[in-house]
């Protein structure tokens, strides 16, 4: 009896017995994924992850609406708002582990919101050139080496150098160490401005550091020693430039008060009023704000002035704490001039990093 061979039946979309992929093999993975998504199970998995992703996106999107009256929670959220993006990969890992389609889709909201808020800060926005280099640094009252800090700052090549938190003990050291590089300077209380260009009309700015019923009873000498803001006019080749130096009040996190920002917020409002009244259209504000420009309390300043870091920096430019910076609380804001570049200088013996910028007319 003759033997008959039965030909192997093959799928036209695969490679048959040869092991080679057929023309439809490349679509097999996506087709399986589509079929999996059509099933209800992936959409039912991970409801907690999906809700968490939506809440994360809502917090970032509506951060300005978070109440600030109880424990300053709104300002606290806005201070560390960029870091909320770190929750995205954590939630994504959980969504992939749970194979939750709903959680993956829900993550599109926080990703979109974060990129809308901070995506523009990821690249280098600096441009070459500039007419003036300005530097600001909270030098720390307890700085163990003020002379070394002064040398480092002078080596930056700054035309204008603003210092905050100058102690009475270290004031003479800064003045002596910076005298050769900066023939003009003014120090008022705990803030000072050193310049390669002539200064005039230097005066303290009242940012309501002394506040309350006993403020008026404090001797004038004591109020002067505790002054935390000044204004001066710098004579440039392009005309007068108004320069403000400010050190706003500290913030505290305590179990009783939460994120306490009372003095800082009062200082910020008074400083915004002083800037609003400034007649010189060209203005530079340098200082330690003890807060980020995302914080709603600085709206009076950021609505009138531009952040050089946001306009011409590279990355976020975090400055505090110096050993592991997590927030940019040291600012350079301008109006009437063009930011060309902005950067953070190497650490000194302070707990803040110095900030620098190049500006042009």
């Amino acid at each position: 009896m003759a033997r008959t061979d039965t030909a192997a039946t093959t799928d036209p979309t695969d490679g048959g017995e040869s092991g080679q992929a057929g023309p439809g093999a490349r679509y097999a993975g996506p087709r399986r994924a589509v079929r999996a998504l059509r099933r209800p199970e992936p959409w039912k998995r991970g409801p907690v992850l999906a809700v968490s992703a939506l809440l994360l996106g809502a917090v970032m999107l509506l951060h300005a609406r978070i109440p600030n009256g109880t424990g300053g929670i709104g300002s606290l959220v806005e201070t560390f708002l960029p870091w909320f993006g770190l929750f995205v990969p954590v939630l994504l890992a959980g969504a992939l582990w749970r194979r939750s389609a709903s959680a993956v889709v829900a993550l599109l909201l926080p990703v979109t919101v974060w990129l809308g808020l901070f995506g523009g800060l990821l690249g280098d926005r600096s441009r070459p050139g500039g007419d003036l280099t300005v530097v600001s640094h909270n030098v720390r009252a307890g700085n163990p080496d003020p002379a070394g800090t002064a040398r480092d700052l002078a080596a930056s090549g700054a035309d204008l150098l603003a210092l905050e938190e100058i102690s009475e003990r270290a004031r003479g050291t800064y003045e002596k160490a910076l005298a050769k590089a900066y023939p003009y300077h003014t120090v008022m209380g705990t803030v000072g401005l050193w310049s390669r260009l002539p200064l005039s009309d230097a005066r303290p700015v009242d940012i309501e550091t002394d506040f309350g019923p006993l403020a008026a009873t404090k001797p004038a000498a004591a109020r002067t020693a505790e002054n935390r803001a000044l204004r001066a006019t710098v004579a440039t080749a392009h005309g007068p430039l108004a320069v403000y130096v400010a050190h706003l009040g500290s913030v505290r996190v305590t179990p009783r008060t939460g994120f306490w920002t009372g003095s800082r917020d009062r200082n910020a409002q008074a400083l915004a009023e002083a800037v609003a009244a400034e007649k010189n259209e060209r203005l530079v504000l340098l200082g330690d704000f003890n807060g980020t420009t995302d914080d709603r309390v600085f709206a009076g300043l950021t609505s009138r002035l531009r952040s050089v870091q946001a306009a011409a920096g590279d990355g976020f430019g975090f400055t505090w704490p110096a050993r592991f910076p997590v927030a940019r609380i040291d600012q350079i804001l301008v109006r009437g001039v063009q930011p060309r570049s902005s950067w953070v200088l190497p650490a000194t013996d302070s707990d803040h990093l110095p900030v620098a910028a190049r500006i042009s007319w």
Side-chain angles (χ1 to χ4, degrees):
M1 186 174 190
R3 186 180 65 184
T4 59
D5 293 331
T6 303
T9 303
T10 60
D11 189 327
T13 62
D14 63 27
E17 295 178 350
S18 65
Q20 296 179 353
R26 72 187 69 176
Y27 303 113
R31 285 172 178 168
R32 283 195 297 269
V34 170
R35 285 195 297 269
L37 291 176
R38 286 176 178 174
R39 295 195 298 269
E41 291 82 3
W43 298 96
K44 293 180 179 180
R45 297 191 193 110
V48 174
L49 291 169
V51 171
S52 299
L54 293 175
L55 286 175
L56 175 62
V59 167
M60 292 192 291
L61 180 64
L62 304 174
H63 64 87
R65 297 180 180 272
I66 298 175
N68 214 22
T70 304
I73 187 65
S75 286
L76 182 62
V77 167
E78 289 169 334
T79 297
F80 298 103
L81 197 58
W83 294 95
F84 277 58
L86 291 180
F87 290 109
V88 170
V90 174
L91 291 173
L92 179 59
L96 294 177
W97 178 68
R98 290 282 294 134
R99 297 182 180 180
S100 170
S102 58
V104 171
V105 172
L107 279 170
L108 292 176
L109 176 62
V111 169
T112 302
V113 174
W114 193 93
L115 289 175
L117 291 172
F118 305 112
L121 299 178
L122 297 178
D124 185 355
R125 302 168 301 286
S126 64
R127 292 169 290 171
D131 300 302
L132 207 65
T133 300
V134 298
V135 167
S136 178
H137 188 30
N138 178 323
V139 292
R140 183 184 170 200
N143 191 318
D145 185 17
T149 296
R151 287 193 298 271
D152 291 342
L153 295 173
S156 70
D159 299 297
L160 298 177
L161 174 60
L163 301 186
E164 304 90 44
E165 208 170 294
I166 303 171
S167 68
E168 185 61 31
R169 174 186 58 82
R171 173 175 173 170
T173 302
Y174 288 115
E175 290 178 324
K176 181 179 179 181
L178 296 171
K180 183 176 180 180
Y182 300 96
Y184 310 96
H185 86 280
T186 180
V187 177
M188 296 184 180
T190 63
V191 293
L193 177 65
W194 278 258
S195 175
R196 299 183 191 274
L197 303 171
L199 298 176
S200 63
D201 192 25
R203 55 180 171 81
V205 176
D206 182 10
I207 58 172
E208 299 186 10
T209 299
D210 293 308
F211 183 77
L214 298 179
T217 66
K218 185 176 290 188
R223 292 197 300 269
T224 300
E226 296 173 1
N227 179 68
R228 293 166 69 105
L230 66 80
R231 181 234 184 253
T233 299
V234 179
T236 76
H238 302 275
L241 174 70
V243 177
Y244 285 72
V245 182
H247 182 193
L248 306 189
S250 299
V251 300
R252 298 285 186 271
V253 180
T254 67
R256 185 174 65 87
T257 62
F259 190 53
W260 183 83
T261 62
S263 63
R264 185 206 65 178
D265 296 353
R266 186 177 66 250
N267 297 162
Q269 182 177 351
L271 182 59
E273 291 172 358
V275 167
E278 173 60 51
K279 295 181 179 179
N280 192 334
E281 186 58 33
R282 293 172 175 170
L283 181 150
V284 175
L285 168 59
L286 309 105
D288 173 9
F289 283 15
N290 273 309
T292 71
T293 52
D294 294 311
D295 194 323
R296 68 195 68 183
V297 74
F298 300 115
L301 292 169
T302 56
S303 63
R304 296 181 175 95
L305 309 175
R306 301 173 66 191
S307 164
V308 296
Q309 180 64 27
D314 184 4
F316 290 91
F318 295 145
T319 62
W320 180 90
R323 290 187 176 182
F324 186 79
V326 297
R328 184 181 177 88
I329 65 174
D330 301 273
Q331 312 293 346
I332 302 176
L333 307 182
V334 301
R335 83 175 184 206
V337 295
Q338 297 299 318
R340 306 298 298 185
S341 57
S342 175
W343 63 100
V344 176
L345 292 171
T348 66
D349 279 309
S350 172
D351 54 343
H352 294 242
L353 295 176
V355 292
R358 290 279 291 169
I359 60 174
S360 65
W361 276 258

